């Protein structure tokens, strides 16, 4: 890897860390960047996951104020993310990419629609006849998102924000903090699995780790100031960009 390529990967890592802290989909910056400098796809995927784990942790730390009073939610949801991340990592190591590639754009589109229409859907879910409807499916949905996150992870944050925003009673910024914790769990457990059983491009992983950690703190500092409407619009825009990027 040349100095220019190393700088390119570092900057991509910073951008990914910033985006992951605010919304998610940082993988759509770093994964193509690794492919562009000649890293093979599967090696790029696992190295990218290892590199982004510190950045998602930085985003979670930056949102620690929004996490106050959410210990019960984390106790319930973290095990689902943990299990999902393990399953997703195992699938990456055993299944062909085509198995998930077909459904990924559909999942991202669904997440965008859920986030965009969350205020109206939230009122429907909170109606007297459906007041308990949002509870039971949150944990399995978080698990399923963890599986996807462990496998590839692009727009994992978009999906988590849709699930948490619709299924839990809280504001978007608090859900963003919780999303960062769950994404950190998924990325970390998948990264540990990959380090144990798969080859890692350590130079690329370290460059992404440094860049994404810096970006994670930047994203947490400024992203937490966004009003709900702006944050929701940003989530939808990045989700749509993710779909276009993956399809074309």
């Amino acid at each position: 890897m040349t100095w220019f390529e190393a700088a390119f990967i570092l900057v991509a890592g910073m951008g990914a860390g910033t985006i992951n802290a605010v919304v998610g989909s940082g993988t759509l910056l770093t994964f193509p960047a690794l492919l562009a400098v000649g890293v093979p796809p599967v090696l790029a995927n696992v190295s990218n996951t290892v590199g982004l784990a510190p950045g998602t942790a930085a985003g979670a730390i930056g949102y620690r104020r929004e996490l106050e009073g959410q210990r019960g939610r984390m106790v319930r949801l973290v095990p689902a993310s943990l299990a999902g991340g393990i399953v997703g990592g195992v699938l990456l190591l055993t299944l062909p990419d085509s198995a998930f590639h077909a459904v990924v754009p559909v999942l991202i589109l669904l997440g965008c629609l859920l986030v965009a229409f969350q205020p109206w859907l939230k009122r429907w879910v909170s109606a007297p006849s459906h007041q308990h409807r949002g509870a039971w499916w949150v944990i399995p949905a978080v698990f399923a998102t963890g599986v996807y996150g462990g496998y590839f992870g692009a727009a994992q944050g978009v999906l988590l924000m849709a699930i948490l925003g619709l299924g839990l009673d809280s504001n978007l910024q608090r859900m963003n903090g919780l999303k960062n914790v769950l994404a950190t769990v998924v990325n970390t457990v998948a990264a540990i699995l990959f380090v144990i059983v798969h080859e890692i491009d350590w130079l690329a992983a370290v460059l992404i780790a440094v860049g994404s950690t810096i970006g994670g703190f930047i994203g947490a500092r400024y992203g937490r100031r966004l009003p709900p409407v702006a944050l929701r619009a940003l989530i939808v825009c990045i989700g749509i960009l993710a779909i276009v990027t993956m399809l074309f």
Side-chain angles (χ1 to χ4, degrees):
M1 188 180 296
T2 66
W3 284 103
F4 175 79
E5 290 172 337
F8 176 60
I9 297 300
L10 180 66
V11 172
M14 290 180 63
T18 303
I19 292 173
N20 279 342
V22 180
V23 181
S25 301
T27 290
L28 294 174
L29 290 180
T30 48
F31 183 69
L34 291 175
L35 296 181
V37 301
V39 182
V42 175
L43 181 59
N45 201 357
V46 297
S47 302
N48 180 61
T49 298
V50 172
L52 287 179
T56 52
I61 293 171
Y63 271 84
R64 60 190 179 278
R65 186 184 305 169
E66 283 74 16
L67 291 171
E68 293 178 1
Q70 298 202 75
R71 181 177 180 180
R73 286 173 175 166
M74 286 187 283
V75 168
R76 292 192 300 272
L77 296 177
V78 162
S81 288
L82 181 66
I86 294 173
V87 173
V90 171
L91 289 177
L92 175 63
L93 300 175
T94 57
L95 294 180
D97 291 347
S98 58
F100 268 56
H101 190 271
V103 300
V104 165
V106 178
L107 290 175
I108 298 174
L109 177 60
L110 177 61
C112 290
L113 292 174
L114 290 174
V115 170
F117 294 102
Q118 181 196 335
W120 296 273
L121 291 171
K122 190 75 173 180
R123 285 196 291 268
W124 178 77
V125 169
S126 301
S129 60
H130 302 287
Q131 58 184 347
H132 301 299
R133 185 135 181 204
W136 70 269
W137 53 264
V138 172
I139 292 177
V142 167
F143 168 77
T145 305
V147 173
Y148 168 67
Y151 187 89
F152 182 51
Q156 175 187 190
V158 174
L159 294 173
L160 279 173
M161 286 296 287
I163 292 165
L164 299 177
L166 181 59
L168 300 178
D169 184 19
S170 190
N171 64 59
L172 268 177
Q173 290 293 0
R174 285 174 62 79
M175 292 301 93
N176 207 13
L178 183 57
K179 175 266 294 180
N180 285 339
V181 171
L182 299 179
T184 297
V185 171
V186 172
N187 286 357
T188 300
V189 69
I192 292 172
L193 177 64
F194 296 153
V195 168
I196 294 173
V197 303
H198 200 279
E199 177 189 0
I200 305 295
D201 185 329
W202 283 108
L203 177 57
V206 169
L207 288 170
I208 292 174
V210 172
S212 67
T213 300
I214 296 171
F217 284 115
I218 293 174
R221 179 175 181 180
Y222 295 102
R224 63 208 302 269
R225 301 177 184 178
L226 290 174
V229 173
L231 181 58
R232 187 174 291 111
L234 182 59
I235 292 171
V236 173
C237 288
I238 290 181
I240 292 173
L241 178 62
I243 295 171
V244 173
T245 301
M246 297 188 72
L247 289 179
F248 302 104

